Amino acid sequence: TLLSASSVGLSATFLSTQVFNANTAELICHHQVPVNQRFPKEGWVEEDPREILESVHECVERTCEKLQQLNVDVSNIKAVGVTNQRETTVVWDKETGEPLYNAIVWLDLRTQSTVERLISKTPGRNKNHFKNQTGLPISTYFSAVKLRWMLDNVDEVRRAVLAGRALFGTVDSWIIWCLTGGKDGGVHCTDVSNASRTMLFNIHTMEWDSELCRYTHCLPVMSDHGLLTTVAYKLGKDAPACYALEGSVAIAGAMVQWLKDNMGIVKSSSEIESLAAAAGTSYGCYFVPAFSGLYAPYWEPSARGIICGLTQFTNKSHLAFAALEAVCFQTREIVDAMNQDSGVPLMQMQVDGGMTSNRLLMQLQADILCMPVVRPLMSETTSLGAAMAAGAAKGVDVWNLSPDHVVPVTSEKFQPQINPEESEFRYARWKKAVQRAMNWETSEPSSPGTAPLYLRSRSQVVLHLLTCLTALVLF
């Protein structure tokens, strides 16, 4: 009998399911559907929890159909694992089963005033005041401030909380509750890795801690260089928790989507590689995609995206190359911080996810890191990990996670092809560009009769430039 484990995963813009063979880790089949993000105001990012759930149902149904086409009995699926956007926050009514507001996505910036208010109440106005308990700075990134914003601004949420009808969770909690019965006995749960990203969880005691009291035990590492100390996993009730240093950037793959949808530079995401390869260099152009501020290692919400180093020679191929380089530079900053915090220099970078299909990006990453980049041929290793954890759960026991039984993953290695001096020069230029992006957005009110200008598309950029030129002629 074929023993399989299935994984349901929600990434930034897609929901997908994968089915794996529990004996060989082979991907048997998969299905993927898009999940729409909504931008009701500048800096706001939302998703419809109902649409997320509908996408789960569609993915599961289509995957089951594909299994039947392969003559695989769906009853062979022994466990389901869930991956998700950890900080994305949902509140729903446990009596009606309906969401009380759209899910507020992890990179949403509406909570900046909430964050500033919380920081102002800490001794010394210290954004790291709770870091010893949570491993996290006080930031718009995490779920607690998103929940606080809903309580302050959404009447339906506030009324449901007062009536004892509200359930809160990250996306995994919403999906699991719905799939296990919803209002008719659904299980309201999460795991420690998601809980540790809420700012409501003590990562020392491994318990919800409303007071976030000081805990004296020491972790593996607390970051002094802008990283997060987070719970990586805990595989079983009595198993020890394993911790991780993590660096999160706001915009990576979404930058390619921006070049396609907002600027019209490419017609599909897959074109970015050939367009960038045509230039072979950014020609001194640097792109800092701080659309939602800068996350690790800076945690600077006032930063905004910039493109600098432009000349008359710059064209869209150079911009495409600079966009791919920006992904690599952001990774380099995280790796540098991890090396400093851990004292254990990273010798190679292992990667996964959709962007790893871009070979030029993988080579650029190796060049900028000055170390090998290892890409598995099966790119969805996050989903594979969720499937393995589900299959290894007590009572399921179809997957053995001991080192002797883990199946090696076939991979490809990209070696650095430029000299370290060239890499360091380009990285220094990137750091200079990042400083230009800092402190762009302020909370100062606009002058009377003026409004902030936001340019969202190529046509708006052209119109703004023409307006400026007209003003020059008139003056």
Side-chain angles (χ1 to χ4, degrees):
T1 302
L2 180 68
L3 299 177
S4 304
S6 174
S7 172
V8 178
L10 179 65
S11 66
T13 53
F14 289 94
L15 190 140
S16 61
T17 57
Q18 293 85 23
V19 179
F20 299 93
N21 184 304
N23 295 322
T24 65
E26 174 192 5
L27 177 63
I28 299 172
C29 71
H30 72 281
H31 191 78
Q32 176 176 282
V33 296
V35 174
N36 293 320
Q37 290 189 336
R38 294 162 173 78
F39 309 92
K41 293 183 181 180
E42 185 72 25
W44 291 29
V45 189
E46 298 178 356
E47 291 171 355
D48 185 346
R50 299 178 191 87
E51 183 183 339
I52 292 173
L53 187 60
E54 290 169 1
S55 298
V56 170
H57 288 154
E58 180 181 348
C59 267
V60 171
E61 289 170 4
R62 299 290 87 78
T63 301
C64 288
E65 290 174 1
K66 291 179 179 180
L67 284 175
Q68 290 170 349
Q69 292 169 6
L70 295 170
N71 295 319
V72 176
D73 190 337
V74 295
S75 67
N76 284 337
I77 294 179
K78 302 301 181 183
V80 177
V82 178
T83 70
N84 62 289
Q85 304 171 5
R86 287 173 300 174
E87 298 80 10
T88 298
T89 303
V90 187
V91 177
W92 66 96
D93 190 315
K94 67 179 180 181
E95 295 181 3
T96 66
E98 291 297 312
L100 295 169
Y101 193 72
N102 276 345
I104 300 181
V105 177
W106 58 276
L107 54 72
D108 186 285
L109 289 177
R110 77 186 69 188
T111 57
Q112 183 55 38
S113 60
T114 304
V115 167
E116 291 171 356
R117 189 168 72 247
L118 288 172
I119 293 175
S120 70
K121 294 179 180 180
T122 65
R125 300 176 61 87
N126 180 11
K127 68 181 178 182
N128 292 315
H129 180 67
F130 298 118
K131 195 169 185 180
N132 189 57
Q133 293 80 23
T134 66
L136 313 172
I138 302 174
S139 166
T140 59
Y141 191 13
F142 307 110
S143 304
V145 292
K146 301 181 193 324
L147 179 59
R148 179 73 259 173
W149 185 93
M150 290 191 200
L151 289 169
D152 292 338
N153 294 278
V154 183
D155 290 338
E156 292 84 352
V157 171
R158 186 163 52 249
R159 285 196 295 267
V161 169
L162 292 174
R165 294 182 287 106
L167 293 180
F168 150 76
T170 43
V171 174
D172 61 312
S173 298
W174 165 244
I175 292 175
I176 292 171
W177 186 82
C178 291
L179 293 184
T180 55
K183 62 182 180 179
D184 299 317
V187 177
H188 185 214
C189 67
T190 188
D191 81 316
V192 292
S193 64
N194 281 286
S196 71
R197 309 299 285 222
T198 62
M199 280 181 56
L200 300 171
F201 187 78
N202 190 308
I203 61 174
H204 300 271
T205 64
M206 304 304 292
E207 294 177 349
W208 298 109
D209 184 356
S210 60
E211 298 180 1
L212 294 175
C213 59
R214 184 173 299 277
Y215 192 76
T216 57
H217 287 183
C218 218
L219 287 176
V221 177
M222 279 293 183
S223 176
D224 294 320
H225 297 90
L227 301 178
L228 308 177
T229 302
T230 193
V231 180
Y233 58 87
K234 184 174 184 291
L235 296 178
K237 182 179 179 181
D238 300 321
C242 292
Y243 298 89
L245 285 174
E246 179 178 300
S248 302
V249 298
I251 301 294
M255 180 166 43
V256 176
Q257 198 78 12
W258 181 83
L259 290 175
K260 177 176 78 72
D261 295 341
N262 290 39
M263 305 306 291
I265 288 179
V266 291
K267 294 181 180 179
S268 67
S269 298
S270 59
E271 290 182 21
I272 193 77
E273 181 175 5
S274 58
L275 183 63
T281 175
S282 69
Y283 201 75
C285 174
Y286 288 82
F287 189 168
V288 182
F291 300 155
S292 301
L294 288 169
Y295 284 21
Y298 301 102
W299 300 105
E300 182 49 70
S302 70
R304 286 297 179 269
I306 64 168
I307 302 174
C308 56
L310 301 176
T311 70
Q312 282 185 310
F313 182 71
T314 307
N315 59 37
K316 63 181 182 180
S317 292
H318 299 126
L319 291 180
F321 196 97
L324 295 184
E325 273 194 319
V327 175
C328 304
F329 288 132
Q330 291 180 103
T331 304
R332 167 73 186 270
E333 290 184 312
I334 298 301
V335 170
D336 282 358
M338 286 186 171
N339 287 341
Q340 292 173 328
D341 275 329
S342 68
V344 182
L346 194 67
M347 303 307 295
Q348 67 179 20
M349 169 68 71
Q350 294 181 316
V351 298
D352 81 332
M355 290 196 79
T356 62
S357 63
N358 187 320
R359 296 184 62 83
L360 175 59
L361 176 63
M362 296 298 94
Q363 186 57 57
L364 283 173
Q365 189 68 85
D367 291 343
I368 290 169
L369 289 175
C370 298
M371 70 175 68
V373 169
V374 179
R375 177 184 70 175
L377 297 186
M378 198 287 290
S379 64
E380 296 299 334
T381 55
T382 300
S383 296
L384 174 59
M388 292 170 71
K394 185 176 182 180
V396 180
D397 301 316
V398 299
W399 214 308
N400 190 328
L401 296 184
S402 65
D404 294 338
H405 288 82
V406 174
V407 179
V409 176
T410 305
S411 60
E412 179 180 10
K413 184 177 288 189
F414 293 81
Q415 297 285 357
Q417 293 182 353
I418 65 174
N419 61 58
E421 291 77 14
E422 171 66 14
S423 177
E424 291 302 319
F425 174 80
R426 286 154 65 176
Y427 184 47
R429 283 291 186 95
W430 157 262
K431 302 285 276 189
K432 185 177 181 180
V434 168
Q435 293 306 311
R436 298 289 192 272
M438 294 291 193
N439 303 312
W440 190 268
E441 186 68 23
T442 67
S443 57
E444 297 176 1
S446 303
S447 301
T450 65
L453 174 64
Y454 300 108
L455 303 177
R456 296 186 180 87
S457 67
R458 181 173 57 180
S459 59
Q460 287 177 294
V461 173
V462 173
L463 178 61
H464 179 58
L465 290 174
L466 290 175
T467 303
C468 293
L469 291 172
T470 303
L472 286 172
V473 172
L474 290 176
F475 290 141

